[in-house]
Amino acid sequence: MSWQRTIECGKLTLTHTGEKVVLNGWVNKVRTFGDLVFVDLRDRTGLIQVVIDNNDTPHLIAAANSLKPETVISLMGEVRKRRAGTENSKLSTGDVEVAAEKIEVLNEAKLLPFTLSDEEQMKQVDETLRVKYRYLDLRRPSMYQMLSLRHKAVKIIRDYMDNQGFLEIETPIISKSTPEGARDYLIPYRLQPGLFYALPQAPQQYKQLLMVAGVERYFQIARCFRDESQRSDRQPEFTQLDVEMSFITQEDVLKLMEEVSIAVVNAVSDKKMTVPFPRFTYDEAMSLYGNDKPDIRFGLTLKDIGEIASTISFHVFAEALANGGQVKAVLYPGGASLSRKELDQLTDFCKQFGAGGLATVSIGSEGMKSSISRFCEANQLAAIAEQCEAKQGDLVCIIAHANKSVVANVLSRLRLEIGQRCGLRSNDRMEFCFVIDFPLVQWNPDEKRWDAEHHPFTMPHEDNLQYIDSDPGKIRAQCYDLVCNGNESASGSIRIHNSEIQAKVFSLLGISAATQKERFGHILEAFSYGAPPHGGFAIGIDRLIMNLMDEQNIREVMAFPKVGPGYDPLMDAPSSVDSAQLKELGLEIVKTDRVNESQNE
RNA sequence: GGGGGUGUAGCUCAGUGGUUAGAGUGCCUGCCUGUCACGCAGGAAGCCGCGGGUUCAAGUCCCGUCAUCCCCGCCA
């Protein structure tokens, strides 16, 4: 008889009773009574209990007792119904077991660095160790489930886009460095030392060129590379659904973003969504939530209490308002019970984002108390409480600052913190919303110039073009984000396809004709040969999967992630290279203490 | 670039400046015929991240350093 399986472990049910089967898989766990041994055999479909009884198969008992976890075996045996009372309802195969008649060890496993069969312990195991032994970590059913869900999500996307007439087209990974945006990963060019390719931060220019090429509907499951600081939702390389369409309006793009998102969520989860996705303008989002990616799973919107604050002779409020700032508040339900120490901690929380302090009004059982009560009358506190719809037991948190963006930033983070503490950020829902009408440009005070909010090819709303000389900050762009549970899920824009408008935007951004030619000459030339109106978006697939799987860290949804600042402990990359390789590339390593140390190791 | 946390047995962790550094789990050995977190008994297993310093005495205190986790800046 061949060693090859006739059926997979997880597929066995009572209907197979009496059949002789061959199984292949890994020994998950051995429970031995000496003369009676139970082996849980695992493959990617599930677990099956194998029984070796010395009374029936004395020739197997020694081998069965010496099986090690994670050893790969082939076994032949008969499927039988479990004895009454010994069924295991936790296993899908728990009504049956296989009585082994032959066991062949295909590859014995040595002792593992961690115990795969203990899911509880695996949740605690050091991240670097798990990534170093990722091929073991991925054997766990929960990790296989992640790979499977990710595969399904991408397949749904491909099928959906195909049905809508989109072509999936690959674009180069070895490409050109772009000075804007994130730091590039560079690849030295051997044939002319001093020149470099760069890995793409996104296939942005290629997809626009495909529109010029008349493709009209492009998509790609695209790998993107950005050399930026590590975060729990960032990796040096990540995957986007990248889309571009021609002869469309913003409305067409939003519709597609919404439909494809809904298709994925419904296909792989039971999570609830509000449909159609609510929309906020950038200004509305900033006003109500203090940021451009509002978590709309809960209310607690920010209230501008500037009018009341202007009647209070508290110098912090007065100075903020006099210098063009704001006084805004957010409600903390149940926050009146916070201790003095907890309030201090909340104040420190606000200070780390730039607030000078935190003013509070609490509505406790003994009436209203406030950190600013000595500056104001009871009716002024009552007016603040009323505007914030505060009830008995609540706390109103007030931030004042001469810089509106500081008020927005601090309160948006405080709002999320409050939402977290009050249990309002449940993962059972995927609350999407669109944020539209972003500013075209943002003033960069350090460089003293206007920077593109999205990128230099973003189309302004045409009726806003009149402000291009007088008040550029007022120009709104045909630029949109899709937000899910407070995280940016997707982002895109309608692009400029008109050279006059493009020239105006370039000059606004202070990009000279010479620079335009040097940096964007190829794409500008392309646009001069008949470019259709076009636009598109990109959805961050890893973050979408994180949301779908309730994972807090992006590593958990990638097969082979990096740890720390871009280190791969499995391959031990990055690593030093042969000096001959460097010489060939015309590169010379400038010695630093750190390089010397690592070479001495 | 900055802030905070962690680093002790294979894994997860405890450890008041003072005997021979412990626990759970895993591993090894023995016993066990209905377990499925099997049970019971025994055993092996440690550069206390690394380097300095303080001290009669450092896993513990101080300085530095490395790694990792989280955050701020950064991420058109």
Side-chain angles (χ1 to χ4, degrees):
Chain A
M1 180 174 280
S2 158
W3 61 268
Q4 275 191 297
R5 63 161 63 112
T6 57
I7 189 166
E8 292 168 304
C9 299
K11 304 253 171 80
L12 289 168
T13 64
L14 283 173
T15 61
H16 302 95
T17 306
E19 282 180 29
K20 295 261 167 135
V21 295
V22 178
L23 300 172
N24 298 159
W26 286 261
V27 172
N28 195 63
K29 198 150 198 179
V30 179
R31 292 179 296 281
T32 175
F33 294 83
D35 286 340
L36 177 69
V37 180
F38 297 99
V39 176
D40 286 338
L41 187 67
R42 186 193 72 241
D43 65 20
R44 62 180 193 157
T45 63
L47 280 184
I48 179 71
Q49 174 166 285
V50 175
V51 189
I52 297 94
D53 188 326
N54 194 32
N55 292 334
D56 305 331
T57 50
H59 62 290
L60 287 182
I61 203 70
N65 270 297
S66 62
L67 284 175
K68 306 274 184 291
E70 299 307 316
T71 287
V72 179
I73 63 172
S74 165
L75 74 85
M76 191 269 286
E78 183 179 320
V79 182
R80 66 189 190 198
K81 187 179 188 324
R82 288 202 191 186
R83 289 184 193 178
T86 66
E87 301 89 350
N88 185 350
S89 59
K90 290 178 199 158
L91 283 182
S92 65
T93 61
D95 288 331
V96 292
E97 61 193 13
V98 171
E101 292 167 23
K102 192 180 154 194
I103 297 176
E104 186 182 347
V105 173
L106 300 177
N107 186 254
E108 190 168 340
K110 68 176 187 184
L111 184 58
L112 267 58
F114 37 63
T115 309
L116 291 182
S117 58
D118 188 340
E119 276 286 332
E120 283 309 304
Q121 189 173 90
M122 286 307 297
K123 284 178 192 165
Q124 309 296 325
V125 172
D126 178 68
E127 289 286 344
T128 308
L129 196 68
R130 281 180 56 206
V131 175
K132 179 172 180 181
Y133 295 98
R134 197 60 158 183
Y135 48 89
L136 299 178
D137 191 33
L138 289 172
R139 286 185 191 170
R140 295 156 53 212
S142 62
M143 295 301 281
Y144 186 83
Q145 193 196 340
M146 174 275 289
L147 294 175
S148 168
L149 185 143
R150 198 175 161 130
H151 160 77
K152 278 182 203 156
V154 171
K155 177 165 164 42
I156 292 290
I157 288 169
R158 286 204 159 99
D159 290 347
Y160 185 87
M161 299 305 288
D162 178 56
N163 281 333
Q164 298 292 316
F166 286 81
L167 292 193
E168 181 170 10
I169 300 172
E170 292 173 273
T171 54
I173 294 295
I174 300 177
S175 186
K176 183 182 168 75
S177 176
T178 54
E180 314 78 16
R183 196 175 294 114
D184 283 320
Y185 284 101
L186 297 177
I187 307 172
Y189 180 57
R190 176 176 54 84
L191 298 178
Q192 199 169 331
L195 299 188
F196 294 85
Y197 297 106
L199 302 179
Q201 297 174 23
Q204 182 62 39
Q205 294 195 25
Y206 287 111
K207 70 175 177 179
Q208 291 191 240
L209 293 173
L210 285 169
M211 294 303 103
V212 179
V215 167
E216 297 195 23
R217 296 193 150 212
Y218 144 90
F219 85 100
Q220 181 177 196
I221 307 297
R223 193 64 64 85
C224 306
F225 306 86
R226 294 178 193 175
D227 184 3
E228 290 297 333
S229 293
Q230 155 275 1
R231 283 289 185 281
S232 58
D233 62 351
R234 282 192 223 160
Q235 280 276 308
E237 52 183 308
F238 58 97
T239 306
Q240 288 187 338
L241 165 61
D242 192 48
V243 176
E244 197 76 4
M245 318 158 71
S246 294
F247 305 115
I248 43 78
T249 64
Q250 173 168 308
E251 199 55 39
D252 298 310
V253 181
L254 297 186
K255 182 164 172 274
L256 180 69
M257 291 167 83
E258 181 164 326
E259 286 176 356
V260 73
S261 300
I262 292 171
V264 171
V265 173
N266 283 339
V268 301
S269 81
D270 299 325
K271 295 187 187 291
K272 301 281 178 285
M273 292 168 281
T274 302
V275 177
F277 298 165
R279 295 184 186 187
F280 300 93
T281 65
Y282 173 86
D283 292 334
E284 286 167 349
M286 291 305 290
S287 163
L288 290 170
Y289 301 97
N291 67 23
D292 58 8
K293 43 181 183 179
D295 187 341
I296 60 165
R297 283 175 295 182
F298 63 103
L300 304 182
T301 52
L302 313 185
K303 309 292 181 190
D304 189 336
I305 59 167
E307 207 165 306
I308 305 166
S310 67
T311 69
I312 297 172
S313 53
F314 176 39
H315 68 281
V316 173
F317 289 178
E319 280 165 26
L321 293 171
N323 291 298
Q326 277 181 324
V327 183
K328 294 186 77 171
V330 66
L331 187 68
Y332 187 159
S337 62
L338 259 55
S339 67
R340 176 61 193 264
K341 189 183 169 190
E342 287 168 321
L343 281 174
D344 285 346
Q345 285 168 348
L346 207 58
T347 304
D348 288 341
F349 177 86
C350 295
K351 282 181 178 172
Q352 70 170 303
F353 303 113
L358 173 69
T360 55
V361 179
S362 71
I363 298 111
S365 48
E366 293 141 32
M368 266 184 281
K369 281 199 294 193
S370 173
S371 58
I372 54 168
S373 55
R374 65 175 180 274
F375 303 108
C376 54
E377 309 291 328
N379 65 335
Q380 290 171 314
L381 293 180
I384 291 172
E386 191 192 342
Q387 191 181 344
C388 296
E389 296 163 28
K391 297 189 291 291
Q392 183 79 27
D394 292 347
L395 180 77
V396 177
C397 301
I398 304 164
I399 297 290
H401 200 279
N403 186 340
K404 288 179 182 177
S405 64
V406 170
V407 175
N409 185 31
V410 173
L411 280 177
S412 70
R413 289 175 188 275
L414 188 55
R415 175 178 172 272
L416 291 175
E417 174 69 17
I418 293 167
Q420 192 70 39
R421 292 182 183 192
C422 296
L424 299 171
R425 303 180 72 187
S426 159
N427 283 327
D428 299 341
R429 292 179 293 147
M430 300 268 286
E431 292 294 358
F432 287 94
C433 65
F434 284 110
V435 177
I436 60 174
D437 297 346
F438 277 75
L440 180 72
V441 291
Q442 210 169 37
W443 182 248
N444 180 334
D446 297 331
E447 307 284 338
K448 293 191 171 34
R449 62 159 194 242
W450 293 100
D451 282 345
E453 170 82 19
H454 188 60
H455 62 60
F457 304 108
T458 305
M459 182 70 185
H461 280 293
E462 282 179 73
D463 54 5
N464 280 188
L465 283 171
Q466 53 181 305
Y467 307 122
I468 201 153
D469 299 317
S470 56
D471 191 359
K474 206 170 166 181
I475 303 173
R476 292 299 177 257
Q478 298 186 52
C479 180
Y480 33 82
D481 278 4
L482 178 61
V483 176
C484 178
N485 292 355
N487 300 307
E488 184 185 314
S489 177
S491 177
S493 66
I494 302 297
R495 329 297 182 187
I496 298 171
H497 68 283
N498 171 312
S499 56
E500 277 177 44
I501 298 176
Q502 186 67 67
K504 281 185 186 171
V505 171
F506 273 142
S507 80
L508 170 62
L509 295 173
I511 301 175
S512 68
T515 309
Q516 287 173 36
K517 195 175 173 193
E518 181 198 326
R519 288 193 202 166
F520 306 114
H522 50 287
I523 197 164
L524 291 177
E525 187 186 5
F527 284 172
S528 70
Y529 291 119
H534 63 285
F537 65 92
I539 296 183
I541 295 203
D542 312 276
R543 290 180 184 176
L544 183 63
I545 305 292
M546 279 173 70
N547 273 328
L548 288 166
M549 298 201 66
D550 301 334
E551 289 293 352
Q552 302 303 308
N553 197 295
I554 194 169
R555 285 188 300 269
E556 297 299 331
V557 301
M558 301 181 109
F560 296 104
K562 307 268 189 294
V563 300
Y567 178 61
D568 179 348
L570 174 50
M571 305 294 284
D572 188 28
S575 59
S576 56
V577 296
D578 202 275
S579 59
Q581 285 177 284
L582 289 178
K583 197 178 173 191
E584 192 170 44
L585 293 166
L587 295 178
E588 196 176 321
I589 303 305
V590 179
K591 301 273 186 195
T592 64
D593 291 347
R594 200 157 160 181
V595 168
N596 285 328
E597 262 173 41
S598 65
Q599 285 180 342
N600 290 339
E601 268 171 16

